[in-house]
Amino acid sequence: MSIDIKYFASLRDRLGRAEDRLDAATELTVAEVWAALWLDRPLPPNTLTAVNMEYAELTQRVRDGDEVAFFPPVTGG
Amino acid sequence: MIRSTGTPPPLSSAEQLRYARHLSLPEIGLDGQHKLQQASVLVIGAGGLGTPALLYLAAAGVGRLGIIDPDCVELSNLQRQILYPTAACGSAKVEAARDRLLALNPHLQIDIYPEAFALANSADLIAAYDLIIEGSDQFAAKYLVNDACVLAGKPYIGASIRAFSGMLAVYAAPNGPCYRCLFPEMPAPETVPSCAQAGVLGTVPGLFGVLQAHEALKLILGIGEPLIGALLKIDLLTMRFQRLRLPRDPGCPLCGESPTIRTLTETSFVCATPTQRPTDTLPWLSVAASQQRPALRWVDIRTTAEFAAGHVPEAIHAPLDQIEAWAAQVEPHEELLLYCQQGGRTVQAYHRLQGKLQGRVSLLRGGYEAWLQGVSAQTSATS
């Protein structure tokens, strides 16, 4: 199962990349996708998560070919 | 949102000419122009987002505009805040904005508030307008606008930008989500990277400000599909526009089914420009005072790009993200003066260095821009 992951705004800067691809043997939730990629790094609080550009809870299941996105809040004006 | 009854009063001949391109659209026409004339919009923050929004709202003939902003126009604003001429530097933003907008469209009423949007004035201000445009660059203000609008039942158009991208949505509309549905709690200051001086290409806030005005006009006119329950995300380097579906969160602490936030509270945010926070107890030094102390070693904590673009002569470069490693090798007798662009990031650096260089670190009030202003004042005095 292959999942595309996208990071936005300051999260992209802090992680040092804009996207990832994860090949998983079993079905994962959004939270498990993060944990699989960033073992020792908890998901920052207040991060908006989306699956296929639709708002998703951390417990939502991710399917093969899905795109999971992580958005931090942005302040500039 | 404005309910007109019967036939709207006719427009003057000058107004018919001014709004001719609106009047010929079946979606607007005389009825729509009347709705715009009767509408009132409060723009919070007359900066990168607020100024282009104001220009279009005024041009469109929105009858009453409120502008709130405590700041004066600065030279570093003009790269993106296109409403202000160079000659307005040093004047209150709200006054310069009012003059410019009345010159654009004298048929309007412009209310100005040269103050910060804060707990004390928020409820009254929100109550006095049909619609709000949130163009603040501070999280504390963004959360306060959101909470005040939800509690008052007033929709607002929020946008946030950074570098080459941004996001936009209509919040607090009936059945739509609020900002806390996305981001329930205000981020802790240390999790927000260098908020004081994030760079931005001038057209980025320009586009988002225009989109905010555009959504406001749609809501007033009752046309199209406003961005309610959807978040528009635009990456302007790649020109990728994405619409994220965003339902209201039943568990939202503010607009959910069992809310825990029922009144407004003010949350201060450490990243406010320190020059506007005279009450803190950090070891600030003014540019003039720093120049009286030749033993001080000036330390530029900005990014490599910012340092390369210009810095104080003789200053050494120690970027904020490596400040701890750098501090470990500072000579024990050295007295240091940290500076960033405007002062905000030096607060973060100071907290990160606490315990390491106790009593030997000062912070330059107003940062590199204050130093530049001193230089430019000397140059114009001698030339």
Side-chain angles (χ1 to χ4, degrees):
Chain A
M1 187 172 84
S2 170
I3 302 157
D4 285 320
I5 296 99
K6 297 235 183 316
Y7 310 111
F8 291 98
S10 59
L11 200 53
R12 178 178 293 187
D13 297 346
R14 275 192 280 165
L15 299 174
R17 53 185 191 253
E19 51 194 35
D20 263 320
R21 173 159 290 187
L22 182 67
D23 290 308
T26 57
E27 204 178 60
L28 300 175
T29 63
V30 171
E32 287 163 349
V33 167
W34 177 275
L37 289 157
W38 302 99
L39 304 169
D40 50 343
R41 238 173 141 148
L43 180 66
N46 238 0
T47 303
L48 178 66
T49 48
V51 173
N52 300 329
M53 292 314 284
E54 186 153 341
Y55 172 79
E57 301 281 344
L58 287 170
T59 50
Q60 183 168 323
R61 301 220 157 267
V62 181
R63 298 201 177 80
D64 187 32
D66 278 354
E67 180 197 274
V68 180
F70 296 95
F71 301 86
V74 172
T75 177
Chain B
M1 97 184 355
I2 308 298
R3 283 159 204 88
S4 54
T5 48
T7 317
L11 297 173
S12 70
S13 52
E15 287 171 313
Q16 288 183 53
L17 284 170
R18 179 183 286 270
Y19 303 121
R21 294 296 192 278
H22 280 171
L23 299 173
S24 58
L25 274 176
E27 291 84 353
I28 303 181
L30 179 60
D31 262 347
Q33 196 59 48
H34 186 64
K35 285 181 190 166
L36 294 174
Q37 225 167 43
Q38 295 297 303
S40 57
V41 177
L42 175 67
V43 176
I44 299 173
L49 294 167
T51 53
L54 281 164
L55 283 167
Y56 275 96
L57 294 173
V62 172
R64 186 163 64 92
L65 294 173
I67 315 169
I68 176 163
D69 197 307
D71 292 339
C72 291
V73 180
E74 293 179 31
L75 200 52
S76 62
N77 299 150
L78 304 186
Q79 156 262 17
R80 62 199 181 286
Q81 299 179 17
I82 56 168
L83 185 135
Y84 306 117
T86 304
C89 286
S91 320
K93 281 186 168 179
V94 292
E95 285 174 20
R98 180 187 51 196
D99 295 349
R100 172 77 177 87
L101 296 173
L102 285 176
L104 170 63
N105 191 342
H107 304 290
L108 312 178
Q109 181 187 331
I110 313 261
D111 313 326
I112 58 171
Y113 309 94
E115 58 204 77
F117 185 79
L119 190 59
N121 58 18
S122 57
D124 287 347
L125 280 167
I126 299 278
Y129 294 86
D130 299 328
L131 200 56
I132 294 45
I133 286 186
E134 189 278 307
S136 153
D137 59 358
Q138 302 284 329
F139 270 122
K142 285 192 188 290
Y143 278 85
L144 185 59
V145 171
N146 181 70
D147 295 1
C149 285
V150 169
L151 294 174
K154 287 269 162 83
Y156 77 96
I157 303 128
S160 300
I161 46 129
R162 122 184 239 289
F164 301 101
S165 64
M167 45 171 98
L168 173 85
V170 177
Y171 299 104
N175 303 316
C178 81
Y179 193 65
R180 286 188 190 267
C181 293
L182 284 73
F183 303 113
E185 297 299 327
M186 190 157 85
E190 64 274 12
T191 65
V192 182
S194 57
C195 53
Q197 256 323 291
V200 68
L201 183 64
T203 43
V204 175
L207 180 75
F208 277 90
V210 171
L211 286 175
Q212 286 182 293
H214 178 77
E215 288 298 294
L217 296 178
K218 276 163 61 188
L219 285 168
I220 294 165
L221 293 166
I223 58 172
E225 297 171 28
L227 269 175
I228 299 171
L231 179 76
L232 181 66
K233 222 208 124 277
I234 312 179
D235 180 333
L236 288 162
L237 271 187
T238 55
M239 285 317 226
R240 278 197 191 101
F241 287 56
Q242 292 176 305
R243 238 179 105 116
L244 178 71
R245 228 176 60 80
L246 197 79
R248 183 166 175 184
D249 177 7
C252 173
L254 180 65
C255 74
E257 279 153 14
S258 34
T260 53
I261 302 169
R262 290 162 189 278
T263 53
L264 290 177
T265 49
E266 196 155 26
T267 331
S268 62
F269 195 62
V270 76
C271 216
T273 310
T275 47
Q276 291 159 9
R277 292 279 188 88
T279 50
D280 70 36
T281 54
L282 299 177
W284 294 107
L285 279 184
S286 68
V287 173
S290 309
Q291 286 164 340
Q292 301 299 312
R293 293 175 53 179
L296 272 182
R297 196 133 182 237
W298 292 53
V299 182
D300 189 318
I301 63 154
R302 299 173 303 155
T303 64
T304 305
E306 289 175 299
F307 185 75
H311 56 262
V312 178
E314 313 295 327
I316 46 174
H317 187 212
L320 178 60
D321 55 0
Q322 298 157 29
I323 197 92
E324 283 104 338
W326 171 84
Q329 44 169 12
V330 170
E331 299 289 329
H333 60 275
E334 276 186 309
E335 298 276 324
L336 305 167
L337 175 70
L338 305 188
Y339 75 86
C340 63
Q341 189 73 9
Q342 288 185 326
R345 277 173 286 175
T346 50
V347 177
Q348 292 179 39
Y350 182 76
H351 289 304
R352 284 164 70 165
L353 290 178
Q354 247 177 348
K356 290 207 178 93
L357 298 169
Q358 208 75 55
R360 292 160 49 200
V361 176
S362 307
L363 312 178
L364 184 64
R365 189 179 291 282
Y368 184 57
E369 288 185 12
W371 182 84
L372 279 176
Q373 275 159 14
V375 173
S376 104
Q378 277 171 15
T379 317
S380 49
T382 54
S383 63

